[in-house]
Amino acid sequence: MEFYRVDKKLFKVKEIILPDVEYKTSLNVKGTQLEAHLEKYRSPDKTQRDKHLFVFSDLIDAKDFCRKMIYGKIYKVSVRKNDILHKG
């Protein structure tokens, strides 16, 4: 299945994109509080957010998100259906 990933990093064609495990270090106080709240109420059957790769199914949504970033890039990525843990 094809999706869109918005990221500041440069990736090569066919490169495997892994979750950003260091994103929490760049959060402000409110972001840190929000992450703590989400973790507190996370269902036990769901993996932690820092183990997820967030992608968009719609290019328009990816472009909208990308506009909010400095130096953001949009990548078309393939994800196996069985690897999708959550849709929102």
Side-chain angles (χ1 to χ4, degrees), residues 4-21 52-55 69 71-78:
Y4 301 93
R5 169 71 181 170
V6 178
D7 209 309
K8 292 181 182 181
K9 298 181 195 121
L10 287 173
F11 294 103
K12 297 176 185 172
V13 175
K14 303 275 186 182
E15 184 174 349
I16 294 175
I17 302 174
L18 300 173
D20 181 3
V21 296
H52 294 206
L53 183 67
F54 293 88
V55 296
M69 297 178 88
Y71 307 116
K73 296 154 197 58
I74 299 175
Y75 296 93
K76 186 184 270 189
V77 296
S78 295

Side-chain angles (χ1 to χ4, degrees), residues 6-7 11 15 20 25-26 35 37-38 41-42 48 52 56-57 60 63 66-68 70-71 75-76 78 84:
V6 178
D7 209 309
F11 294 103
E15 184 174 349
D20 181 3
T25 60
S26 64
E35 285 295 324
H37 175 79
L38 291 171
Y41 293 101
R42 178 178 53 81
Q48 293 178 312
H52 294 206
F56 295 88
S57 59
I60 293 170
K63 286 181 178 180
C66 190
R67 280 188 207 98
K68 300 172 189 173
I70 297 172
Y71 307 116
Y75 296 93
K76 186 184 270 189
S78 295
I84 298 173

